C-alpha cells in the first residue's frame, strides 16, 4: 500500500514533520547511493509506509471512529489510518478512510488513498470510481500514480490511458492559457494567483496577485496575498507560510511540466526573512542562501502579505534569458493555518511544487524579450557541457543598441588560463545590427586531454567597449571510463572501492544528465579520480598529503558505507584518530570540515565522520554502520589512539559502540540533545541493568543541551544510570539553548585537542 504524501502535507503535516521523522514519502537507498546522488544527480526516491509521527508504531489498532469536529480530530483519523496500515490491517484502514471522506469529501489525496485501499482489499469495483474522483478533484500526479504498485492492474488498462491522456491535454491547455510575455525593464502587473487548495471548494478563487520584472541581472517577483493567518515561525520548506518559485526549462513532449527545473523558496524563519534553493541529491534538500532573503511586509489590519523576491540569473546557469528566451514559471503561495488547513495559490496547480521526492515541475510559458533601451549583452549556449566525441557546437546571441562594425573573439583556455586550441584566439570582424545578433560556431576538441576548460566569447562594440560571456565544459576522452577502470585491480583492496565508487558515479551521471547541465560536479569528481591515481603513482596510496577525502568502507550486510576523512599535514600510521558519529548523513562532510578548521594549527589528528544511512533505517542501522566504520578505520589507518564522539542521535550510536569495544578507545564525548535516544521506551531500572553489564574503564565526557533534553530523548536518564552503575564521568556540561552543528563542531575540536 502506498500512501500519498500530498494528503498529509495538505492537512498541515508538511515538511516540518516529514523532514524530521521521514513520514509518508522516504528515500530508499544505501549510504553509497545517497552520497552518489549528492555528487552528481537527482536522487531516485520510493514511497514508504510510515507513521506521520515517526514511523510504524506498536500502538494497538483503533477501531473507533472519532467525531472529527476539530483539526485535532482530523489528525487523529490520519494517525489512526497510519497505525492500521503499519499493522497490515487493510480492512480497518479502508473503513477509517471511508469515514474520513464522509467528513472531508473534498480531499483528493485521501480519495486517492481510498482507491489504493479498495484495490488492495480486492474491491476493484470501488477502486476505479475513487481514482477517477481523486484525479478530477486535483490529484493528477500521474508520475506518482503510475509508480504505485497498489494500482498496477488499474493503470495498465486502456480506460486509464484514455483518462490520463484527456487530463494531460487539459493541463497543457491550462498551461498555454496562462502564458506570460515579459519585456526587459517593464513590469507586468496583477497576474492572478488562484486558490488550489481543493478541500476549500474554491479552486477558481483569486486570493493574490504577482508582478514580474526582469533585467540582465535578475528576475524580480512581487507577491501580494490575502492571508490573515501568515505564519512566520517556520520557512515554507518546513511547512510554514511563504512562496515557492519554479523556473523551468520547457519540455515540448509534455507541454505543461518538465524535469529540468530550478526551485526556490522564500519566507520567514524565527521571524527573520529567509530564502533557499532546492539542491537535488540525498533525497533532495533545501539550502538556505542569504542572498535570496526576501523583503516581507505583513499588513495585519487588512490580513495581507507582501513579499518581494529576487532570483539572480546566475542561480539558473547555464540558462540565461538572452539566449533562453522561452522558459516556464510557476509561483506558489503556501499559507499555513492553525486550523490544520493550508491555503495554496498558484499560477498553475502543481502537486509536486515543493516535494523533494518529485523531479517534475509544472509551469506556464514565460517569454522573455529584450528591450530597445537595454545595454549591450552577450550570452552563449553549448550543445553539450561534456564533450566526449571531440566536436562542440556553440551558439552565441548578442543584444546590441547601436549598429556598426565590431569584433568577435572566441578562446578556449585550461585551468591555468592558457589557450589550448591551435589557431585561436581568432578575431572575427562582424557587422552588428541593432537588437539581436546571432552566430553559430563549432570547434574540434579531439586534441584535448580529459579535463576542465573554459570557453570565452568577447564582443568588441562599435564604440570600443567589450561585453563577454564565459562557459565551463569538461573534455572527457571517449576511452576515459574504460581506461580508468583498468587501473582498479592495481589498487589496494582497502582503497579500491573508493576509486570505483567515483568511477561509477561518473558513469551514472553521464548516462542520466541533461546536455546543458552544469558540469561542475562532474569536473570535481573526474578531477578527484585523477588526483587519487596520480597520488598512487607517487606514494602507493590514494590518501592526499592533507585535506578532505570521501572514502568507501565495507558496511554491514555487504553494503558499502561512506566516511569523510580530514587529514592533517604529515599524517601517518601513528596519527591519532577522532571518529565523530553525526546526527544525520547530510551533515557528515560539513562536520568533518568544521572540526578540521577549528583544530589548532599543527594538531596531529585525523578526523573521520561516517555518512550514516537514512533515518528511516532506525537506530539499529545507524549503530551497525557506525561500528563497521570504526572497525575499518582502525584497521586501515592504524592510529596511535582513537577518540570517539557522537552528536545527538549519533551520540547514542557512539555510546553503544564504546560499550562493545571499550579497549579500542582512549576517550568518549557524548553531545546530547533531544535526539539522544539509544534505548527507546526503556525504564530507568532497565537502563541501569543494560549499562551495568558493560561497565568499563573509559572516561565519558558529557555535554547536554537542556532546552532539548528536558523535552525529549534519554540523555538525562542514561547519564544518571551511568553514574548509578559506576561509569567514570569526566567533564559534565549542561548548556541552555538548542544544539547546532557549529556548536557541536567547536566543542568536539576543543575536546579532542585537550585529549
Amino acid at each position: 500500500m502506498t500512501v500519498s504524501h500530498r494528503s498529509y502535507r495538505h492537512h498541515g503535516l508538511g515538511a516540518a514533520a516529514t523532514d524530521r521523522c521521514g513520514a509518508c514519502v522516504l528515500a530508499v537507498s544505501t549510504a553509497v547511493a545517497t552520497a552518489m546522488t549528492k555528487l552528481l544527480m537527482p536522487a531516485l526516491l520510493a514511497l514508504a509506509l510510515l507513521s506521520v509521527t515517526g514511523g510504524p508504531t506498536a500502538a494497538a489498532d483503533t477501531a473507533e471512529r472519532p467525531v472529527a469536529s476539530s483539526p485535532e480530530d482530523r489528525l487523529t483519523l490520519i494517525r489512526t489510518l497510519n497505525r492500521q496500515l503499519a499493522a497490515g490491517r487493510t480492512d480497518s484502514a479502508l473503513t477509517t478512510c471511508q469515514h474520513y471522506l464522509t467528513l472531508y469529501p473534498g480531499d483528493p489525496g485521501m480519495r486517492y488513498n481510498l482507491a489504493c485501499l479498495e484495490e488492495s482489499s480486492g474491491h476493484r469495483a470501488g477502486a476505479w470510481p475513487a481514482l477517477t474522483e481523486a484525479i478530477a478533484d486535483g490529484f493528477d500526479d500521474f508520475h506518482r500514480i503510475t509508480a504505485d504498485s497498489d494500482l498496477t492492474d488499474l493503470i495498465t488498462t486502456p480506460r486509464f490511458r484514455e483518462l490520463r491522456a484527456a487530463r494531460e491535454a487539459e493541463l497543457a491547455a491550462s498551461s498555454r492559457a496562462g502564458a506570460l510575455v515579459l519585456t526587459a525593464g517593464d513590469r507586468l502587473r496583477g497576474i492572478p494567483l488562484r486558490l488550489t487548495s481543493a478541500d476549500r471548494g474554491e479552486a477558481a478563487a483569486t486570493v493574490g496577485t504577482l508582478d514580474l520584472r526582469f533585467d540582465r541581472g535578475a528576475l524580480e517577483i512581487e507577491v501580494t496575498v490575502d492571508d490573515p493567518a501568515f505564519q512566520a515561525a517556520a520557512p515554507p520548506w518546513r511547512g510554514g507560510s511563504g512562496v515557492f518559485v519554479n523556473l523551468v526549462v520547457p519540455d515540448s513532449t509534455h507541454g505543461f511540466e518538465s524535469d529540468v527545473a530550478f526551485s526556490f523558496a522564500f519566507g520567514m524563519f524565527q521571524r527573520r526573512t529567509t530564502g533557499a534553493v532546492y539542491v537535488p541529491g540525498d533525497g533532495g534538500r533545501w539550502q538556505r542562501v542569504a542572498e535570496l532573503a526576501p523583503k516581507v511586509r505583513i499588513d495585519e489590519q487588512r490580513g495581507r502579505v507582501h513579499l518581494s523576491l529576487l532570483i539572480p540569473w546566475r542561480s539558473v546557469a547555464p540558462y540565461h534569458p538572452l539566449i533562453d528566451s522561452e522558459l516556464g514559471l510557476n509561483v506558489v503561495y503556501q499559507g499555513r493555518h492553525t486550523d490544520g488547513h493550508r491555503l495554496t495559490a498558484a499560477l498553475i496547480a502543481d502537486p509536486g511544487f515543493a516535494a523533494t521526492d518529485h523531479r517534475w515541475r509544472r509551469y506556464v510559458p514565460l517569454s522573455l524579450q529584450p528591450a530597445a533601451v537595454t545595454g549591450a549583452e552577450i550570452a552563449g549556449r553549448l550543445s553539450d557541457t561534456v564533450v566526449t566525441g571531440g566536436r562542440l557546437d556553440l551558439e552565441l546571441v548578442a543584444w546590441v543598441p547601436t549598429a556598426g562594425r565590431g569584433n568577435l573573439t572566441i578562446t578556449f583556455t585550461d585551468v591555468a588560463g592558457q589557450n589550448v586550441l591551435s589557431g585561436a584566439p581568432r578575431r572575427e570582424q562582424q557587422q552588428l545590427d541593432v537588437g539581436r545578433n546571432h552566430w553559430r560556431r563549432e570547434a574540434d576538441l579531439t586534441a584535448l586531454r580529459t579535463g576542465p576548460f573554459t570557453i570565452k566569447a568577447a564582443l568588441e562594440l562599435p564604440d570600443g567597449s567589450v561585453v563577454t560571456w564565459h562557459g565551463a565544459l569538461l573534455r572527457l576522452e571517449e576511452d576515459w571510463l574504460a581506461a580508468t577502470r583498468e587501473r582498479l585491480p592495481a589498487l589496494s583492496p582497502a582503497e579500491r572501492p573508493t576509486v570505483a565508487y567515483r568511477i561509477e558515479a561518473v558513469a551514472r551521471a553521464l548516462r542520466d544528465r541533461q546536455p546543458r547541465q552544469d558540469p561542475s560536479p562532474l569536473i570535481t569528481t573526474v578531477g578527484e579520480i585523477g588526483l587519487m591515481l596520480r597520488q598512487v603513482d607517487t606514494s602507493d596510496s590514494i590518501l592526499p598529503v592533507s585535506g578532505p577525502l570521501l572514502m568507501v568502507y565495507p558496511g554491514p550486510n555487504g553494503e558499502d558505507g561512506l566516511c569523510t576523512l580530514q587529514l592533517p599535514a604529515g599524517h601517518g600510521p601513528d596519527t591519532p584518530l577522532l571518529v565523530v558519529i553525526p546526527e544525520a548523513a547530510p551533515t557528515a562532510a560539513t562536520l568533518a570540515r568544521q572540526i578540521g578548521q577549528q583544530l589548532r594549527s599543527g594538531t596531529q589528528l585525523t578526523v573521520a565522520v561516517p555518512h550514516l544511512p537514512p533515518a528511516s533505517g532506525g537506530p539499529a542501522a545507524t549503530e551497525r554502520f557506525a561500528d563497521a566504520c570504526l572497525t575499518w578505520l582502525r584497521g586501515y589507518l592504524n592510529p596511535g589512539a582513537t577518540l570517539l564522539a557522537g552528536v545527538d542521535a549519533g551520540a547514542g550510536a557512539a555510546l553503544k559502540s564504546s560499550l562493545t569495544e571499550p579497549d579500542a578507545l582512549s576517550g568518549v564525548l557524548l553531545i546530547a540533545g533531544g535526539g539522544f535516544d539509544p534505548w527507546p521506551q526503556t525504564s530507568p531500572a532497565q537502563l541501569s541493568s543494560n549499562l551495568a553489564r558493560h561497565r568499563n574503564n573509559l572516561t565519558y565526557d558529557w555535554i547536554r543541551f537542556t532546552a532539548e533534553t528536558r523535552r525529549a530523548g534519554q540523555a538525562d536518564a542514561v547519564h544518571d544510570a551511568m553514574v548509578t552503575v559506576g561509569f567514570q564521568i569526566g567533564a559534565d556540561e549542561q548548556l541552555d539553548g538548542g544544539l547546532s552543528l557549529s556548536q557541536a563542531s567547536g566543542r568536539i575540536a576543543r575536546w579532542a585537542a585537550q585529549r
Side-chain angles (χ1 to χ4, degrees):
M1 165 65 187
T2 300
V3 176
S4 155
H5 179 57
R6 175 175 174 170
S7 172
Y8 297 96
R9 183 175 65 233
H10 186 63
H11 296 302
L13 302 178
T18 56
D19 282 353
R20 188 161 180 87
C21 69
C24 304
V25 181
L26 297 174
V28 179
S29 59
T30 64
V32 167
T34 298
M36 191 176 294
T37 57
K38 181 178 180 181
L39 281 174
L40 296 172
M41 63 195 73
L44 300 177
L45 304 182
L47 301 178
L49 278 180
L50 293 181
S51 165
V52 174
T53 55
T57 67
D61 180 27
T62 56
E64 65 272 13
R65 292 180 174 185
V67 178
S69 58
S70 70
E72 290 75 17
D73 291 334
R74 189 176 194 175
L75 301 185
T76 297
L77 282 171
I78 295 173
R79 290 171 179 143
T80 298
L81 176 61
N82 264 310
R83 287 196 296 270
Q84 292 165 338
L85 291 171
R89 300 177 64 91
T90 306
D91 289 340
S92 297
L94 177 58
T95 300
T96 301
C97 188
Q98 290 169 334
H99 177 60
Y100 178 99
L101 286 167
T102 64
L103 300 170
Y104 305 102
D107 185 335
M110 192 61 75
R111 186 74 60 184
Y112 174 77
N113 291 338
L114 176 63
C116 293
L117 285 165
E118 295 275 19
E119 179 73 7
S120 58
S121 299
H123 307 151
R124 185 159 300 172
W128 176 253
L131 179 60
T132 57
E133 286 183 50
I135 292 171
D137 287 345
F139 195 93
D140 49 15
D141 184 352
F142 290 103
H143 299 288
R144 189 181 300 283
I145 293 171
T146 54
D148 195 330
S149 59
D150 288 327
L151 299 176
T152 300
D153 291 340
L154 281 181
I155 63 179
T156 55
T157 61
R159 62 178 177 175
F160 176 79
R161 290 193 290 270
E162 292 172 3
L163 174 65
R164 178 176 184 175
R167 180 58 182 153
E168 289 188 339
E170 293 174 358
L171 291 169
S174 176
S175 173
R176 292 192 299 271
L180 303 169
V181 179
L182 192 58
T183 301
D186 292 347
R187 189 173 298 276
L188 194 58
R189 301 180 184 274
I191 306 165
L193 289 177
R194 293 189 170 87
L195 198 65
T196 61
S197 302
D199 69 334
R200 295 282 191 172
E202 306 169 354
T206 297
V207 296
T209 61
L210 61 90
D211 299 346
L212 296 176
R213 180 185 180 278
F214 89 96
D215 57 27
R216 68 177 63 190
L219 174 65
E220 301 172 18
I221 304 175
E222 304 281 338
V223 180
T224 303
V225 177
D226 292 326
D227 182 11
F230 183 87
Q231 298 291 311
W237 60 90
R238 293 185 182 172
S241 298
V243 175
F244 293 90
V245 176
N246 290 318
L247 272 173
V248 178
V249 180
D251 186 323
S252 58
T253 302
H254 293 83
F256 64 92
E257 63 180 356
S258 173
D259 62 349
V260 182
F262 298 85
S263 298
F264 306 87
F266 308 86
M268 300 187 72
F269 178 53
Q270 297 178 343
R271 302 200 174 276
R272 295 184 179 180
T273 61
T274 186
V277 61
Y278 176 68
V279 181
D282 282 351
R285 62 188 174 89
W286 289 95
Q287 177 66 52
R288 293 173 63 187
V289 179
E291 185 182 8
L292 293 177
K295 296 179 181 178
V296 179
R297 298 197 307 274
I298 302 174
D299 187 340
E300 295 182 354
Q301 289 186 340
R302 302 173 67 185
R304 184 166 293 174
V305 183
H306 182 86
L307 299 96
S308 299
L309 322 175
L310 192 72
I311 301 176
W313 291 120
R314 63 178 176 276
S315 63
V316 299
Y319 299 93
H320 188 279
L322 184 61
I323 198 162
D324 300 289
S325 58
E326 303 299 325
L327 295 174
L329 174 70
N330 198 13
V331 178
V332 183
Y333 177 81
Q334 172 183 273
R336 176 186 180 184
H337 293 176
T338 56
D339 65 357
H341 291 81
R342 288 182 184 277
L343 181 153
T344 307
L347 289 176
I348 184 170
D350 183 359
F353 69 86
T356 56
D357 67 321
H358 201 299
R359 63 194 180 98
W360 292 88
R361 297 290 189 262
R362 294 183 183 175
Y363 62 89
V364 299
L366 175 65
S367 181
L368 300 169
Q369 304 298 325
V373 296
T374 303
E377 192 174 9
I378 187 171
R381 175 163 54 201
L382 301 177
S383 56
D384 200 324
T385 54
V386 178
V387 181
T388 54
R391 172 176 168 167
L392 174 69
D393 293 324
L394 169 65
E395 183 179 358
L396 294 169
V397 173
W399 181 265
V400 178
T402 305
R405 290 191 178 278
N407 294 290
L408 177 65
T409 304
I410 301 173
T411 58
F412 288 81
T413 57
D414 58 18
V415 291
Q418 299 298 312
N419 182 61
V420 294
L421 292 185
S422 60
R426 187 174 62 200
R427 194 165 180 256
E428 304 174 9
Q429 192 175 77
Q430 302 291 336
Q431 178 60 45
L432 303 177
D433 299 324
V434 173
R436 188 184 296 268
N437 294 260
H438 187 266
W439 302 276
R440 293 183 184 273
R441 299 290 184 270
E442 65 177 64
D444 184 1
L445 308 185
T446 306
L448 299 184
R449 301 295 301 273
T450 292
F453 298 92
T454 299
I455 181 171
K456 175 182 177 182
L459 180 63
E460 183 183 357
L461 301 170
D463 63 2
S465 61
V466 178
V467 290
T468 61
W469 168 81
H470 298 79
L473 63 92
L474 172 65
R475 166 69 173 131
L476 201 65
E477 294 166 280
E478 289 185 280
D479 65 343
W480 182 87
L481 274 174
T484 307
R485 285 178 174 137
E486 288 176 0
R487 296 285 308 272
L488 289 175
L491 302 179
S492 71
E495 296 183 338
R496 190 180 305 136
T498 295
V499 180
Y501 154 70
R502 286 172 168 82
I503 294 174
E504 296 313 309
V506 170
R508 292 191 185 190
L510 292 173
R511 181 193 65 206
D512 298 337
R513 63 183 296 276
Q514 298 289 332
R516 294 185 62 197
Q517 189 171 328
D518 181 5
S520 299
L522 263 173
I523 288 172
T524 298
T525 307
V526 169
E528 286 179 343
I529 294 170
L531 286 173
M532 286 188 286
L533 294 179
R534 288 193 293 274
Q535 187 69 18
V536 167
D537 292 338
T538 59
S539 66
D540 294 327
S541 172
I542 65 172
L543 293 180
V545 174
S546 64
L549 182 64
L550 182 67
M551 298 287 292
V552 176
Y553 66 90
N557 302 322
E559 293 188 74
D560 287 336
L562 296 169
C563 180
T564 292
L565 299 183
Q566 188 74 31
L567 298 157
H571 63 84
D574 295 325
T575 302
L577 172 66
L578 167 63
V579 182
V580 182
I581 312 300
E583 178 181 12
T587 65
T590 302
L591 191 59
R593 184 184 69 252
Q594 289 183 354
I595 294 172
Q597 291 172 343
Q598 296 183 62
L599 286 171
R600 291 196 300 265
S601 177
T603 301
Q604 282 294 296
L605 185 68
T606 296
V607 179
V609 184
H611 297 232
L612 301 177
S616 57
T622 297
E623 293 155 13
R624 289 194 298 269
F625 273 90
D627 287 343
C629 185
L630 192 58
T631 300
W632 176 80
L633 285 166
R634 292 198 306 268
Y636 173 56
L637 296 176
N638 192 23
T642 301
L643 300 172
L644 179 62
V647 180
D648 212 14
L655 172 59
K656 288 188 172 182
S657 291
S658 73
L659 298 179
T660 56
E661 294 190 71
D663 295 339
L665 302 174
S666 302
V668 180
L669 172 64
L670 304 175
I671 300 181
F676 181 88
D677 199 21
W679 293 282
Q681 301 177 344
T682 302
S683 67
Q686 188 61 46
L687 280 176
S688 295
S689 176
N690 291 346
L691 288 164
R693 293 195 297 269
H694 299 284
R695 191 174 62 180
N696 55 58
N697 295 321
L698 278 172
T699 296
Y700 289 83
D701 296 308
W702 278 83
I703 300 176
R704 286 175 284 169
F705 287 81
T706 57
E708 294 190 22
T709 58
R710 289 170 183 164
R711 294 197 309 266
Q714 292 182 303
D716 295 339
V718 171
H719 172 274
D720 294 347
M722 292 180 72
V723 172
T724 299
V725 301
F727 278 81
Q728 184 173 338
I729 306 298
D732 190 2
E733 293 186 74
Q734 296 188 55
L735 304 176
D736 294 331
L739 172 58
S740 69
L741 189 65
S742 59
Q743 288 174 321
S745 61
R747 294 179 184 281
I748 291 171
R750 289 193 293 272
W751 172 80
Q754 292 168 0
R755 302 289 297 187

